[in-house]
Amino acid sequence: MPIDEFMDNCTENIGSFDNLTWLWNSSSFNRSASLTKESNEDLGSLLITKLQIGFQLIIALLGTFGNVMVFTVIREMKRKKSTTDIFVQNLSVADLGIFLLSAPLVAIKERMPYDWPFGKFACLYLYPIPEMFHGASVWCIAVIAFDRYRKIITPRRHSWNNCRAKYVVVSVWVVSFLALSLPLYFVVEYQKTSGRWCGPRWSSLLLAQACMILLTVFSYLLPLAVISWTYLAISRTIRRSNTLIKNMTRDNEAVQEKDCRSSTKNARLRQNKRAKKILTPMVLVFAVTMLPLNVLRLIIVFWPAVGAQDYYQNLLYTISVFVMLNSAVNPVIYSVASRDFRRGMKNLFHKES
């Protein structure tokens, strides 16, 4: 293929800019050349493909079940919901949207790149909507981390009430739609020539590059900075609390005189440690699972020839699995680190039995 034609196709099909479907769109310019090769796959390749699909399906099922459990447990809690409960519940909704809407869309785009099955209306008006679930998922994690920071660093002066937390959640969803879904309405196209193609077409490679850079900042670098900063601040607070308690326990008389004060500090220290126990895996999982996607997102617009490499499709598959794991592992973190969540699950199962 001539380089000019290759670059034109790359510019047109560089893809949407959500966390999953843009990968398959960005590779669509290279799909026509690989269709003949795929039609001659041997049994070994077909087996590998089936195993890959099966593995993704297992992750999707586990992630869907886990997030449904999170949403249900929080909804059925008898105590008054905290601000953290509100944020976690919305995170579970966002992750469910990824598994129920975005992931199936990715599978369809990958297996039928030129045979869009849902028609023109769904392509032009419904196709961009699932993108906001990725932004909502990422920023709900950041908001949860910042909420824990406020409760630990300034527990009395700047605490959020539930009404304000709901405003924050609404803002997360609105901004995610405006930043991720709305721009797609200006570039998505439906074409019915030799097949039925649905996806964004960029007017220039420069515009695609600018969008990918902004998307990387909005959906990875900025939320990662918020999560990391809050994590480090909480860690410093816990270290200071440990030092203070150790100094107080050196003098038994001082401890007896300030027994109530010491008990309060110990309770706060335990609360801080539980918060860190949840935040630590959240920070690590988010940073690790979303890093490959954002690296490739920048590579594909600055080095479009990567889409023609033999390893590209395997790379896409690996990255899509990482993105799905990011949404599937959060319920596992809650079940391991949150005592209230485990208690809520037990109560739910006992109620059903």
Side-chain angles (χ1 to χ4, degrees):
M1 177 183 292
I3 187 64
D4 293 338
E5 181 181 352
F6 175 81
M7 288 300 297
D8 289 340
N9 289 332
C10 175
T11 299
E12 291 177 348
N13 299 318
I14 197 67
S16 68
F17 42 84
D18 75 349
N19 287 297
L20 284 176
T21 60
W22 81 271
L23 292 170
W24 313 125
N25 292 327
S26 64
S27 63
S28 62
F29 63 85
N30 194 44
R31 290 291 293 176
S32 58
S34 63
L35 289 177
T36 303
K37 179 179 179 180
E38 291 180 359
S39 63
N40 296 321
E41 284 182 329
D42 56 19
L43 293 178
S45 298
L46 290 175
L47 178 60
I48 292 175
T49 300
K50 291 180 180 179
L51 290 175
Q52 289 177 338
I53 296 175
F55 184 58
Q56 285 179 312
L57 183 60
I58 292 173
I59 296 176
L61 290 175
L62 292 177
T64 300
F65 173 78
N67 283 288
V68 167
M69 288 300 302
V70 171
F71 181 87
T72 305
V73 167
I74 294 177
R75 187 189 62 181
E76 297 295 327
M77 281 182 176
K78 296 181 179 180
R79 63 173 176 81
K80 182 180 177 181
K81 292 181 177 60
S82 66
T83 55
T84 303
D85 294 332
I86 295 174
F87 298 140
V88 170
Q89 194 171 37
N90 277 268
L91 174 60
S92 67
V93 173
D95 288 338
L96 280 173
I98 292 174
F99 287 119
L100 298 179
L101 295 177
S102 293
L105 183 62
V106 168
I108 291 171
K109 291 288 289 184
E110 168 63 5
R111 303 302 164 186
M112 299 185 295
Y114 298 104
D115 192 20
W116 174 258
F118 303 120
K120 183 176 181 179
F121 179 84
C123 175
L124 297 180
Y125 300 105
L126 302 181
Y127 176 85
I129 292 178
E131 317 297 345
M132 70 176 176
F133 289 102
H134 294 281
S137 176
V138 168
W139 279 101
C140 277
I141 295 175
V143 170
I144 290 170
F146 189 69
D147 180 56
R148 302 309 303 168
Y149 165 80
R150 292 169 66 93
K151 288 182 177 180
I152 291 173
I153 305 301
T154 56
R156 295 181 180 179
R157 288 181 296 170
H158 302 293
S159 60
W160 281 342
N161 55 34
N162 286 3
C163 183
R164 186 174 297 180
K166 292 177 181 178
Y167 285 134
V168 172
V169 165
V170 171
S171 300
V172 167
W173 283 99
V174 171
V175 172
S176 296
F177 176 81
L178 294 177
L180 299 179
S181 294
L182 183 62
L184 279 179
Y185 284 102
F186 297 98
V187 295
V188 68
E189 292 184 7
Y190 176 79
Q191 292 186 355
K192 190 175 182 181
T193 53
S194 57
R196 293 168 295 180
W197 185 85
C198 176
R201 289 188 178 276
W202 301 98
S203 58
S204 67
L205 183 60
L206 181 62
L207 178 61
Q209 292 172 343
C211 287
M212 292 301 162
I213 292 174
L214 291 176
L215 177 62
T216 301
V217 172
F218 173 79
S219 63
Y220 184 70
L221 295 180
L222 188 56
L224 180 61
V226 172
I227 296 170
S228 301
W229 174 70
T230 56
Y231 174 78
L232 293 175
I234 291 173
S235 298
R236 287 196 298 268
T237 300
I238 292 176
R239 286 197 299 268
R240 291 171 183 171
S241 299
N242 282 331
T243 302
L244 178 62
I245 291 175
K246 288 179 181 179
N247 291 336
M248 292 179 64
T249 54
R250 288 176 183 174
D251 190 344
N252 292 331
E253 294 182 358
V255 171
Q256 292 176 357
E257 292 176 1
K258 302 178 181 180
D259 184 59
C260 181
R261 183 179 177 183
S262 177
S263 177
T264 302
K265 290 183 178 295
N266 278 312
R268 181 178 296 180
L269 179 60
R270 288 193 297 270
Q271 180 184 8
N272 293 353
K273 286 183 176 180
R274 286 197 297 268
K276 185 179 178 182
K277 190 177 180 181
I278 295 177
L279 284 179
T280 300
M282 286 181 66
V283 172
L284 293 177
V285 168
F286 176 76
V288 172
T289 57
M290 300 303 292
L291 177 61
L293 166 68
N294 287 274
V295 171
L296 183 61
R297 177 185 286 145
L298 298 178
I299 290 176
I300 193 65
V301 293
F302 289 100
W303 183 42
V306 69
Q309 306 302 316
D310 294 336
Y311 56 79
Y312 186 66
Q313 293 300 321
N314 291 330
L315 185 61
L316 292 179
Y317 172 79
T318 303
I319 290 177
S320 70
V321 169
F322 270 69
V323 174
M324 293 176 68
L325 286 174
N326 178 65
S327 296
V329 78
N330 288 327
V332 179
I333 296 175
Y334 306 145
S335 63
V336 172
S338 175
R339 184 172 52 191
D340 291 340
F341 181 74
R342 292 195 301 271
R343 187 183 299 115
M345 287 187 63
K346 291 179 180 179
N347 294 336
L348 181 64
F349 286 129
H350 288 325
K351 180 179 179 181
E352 292 179 352
S353 61

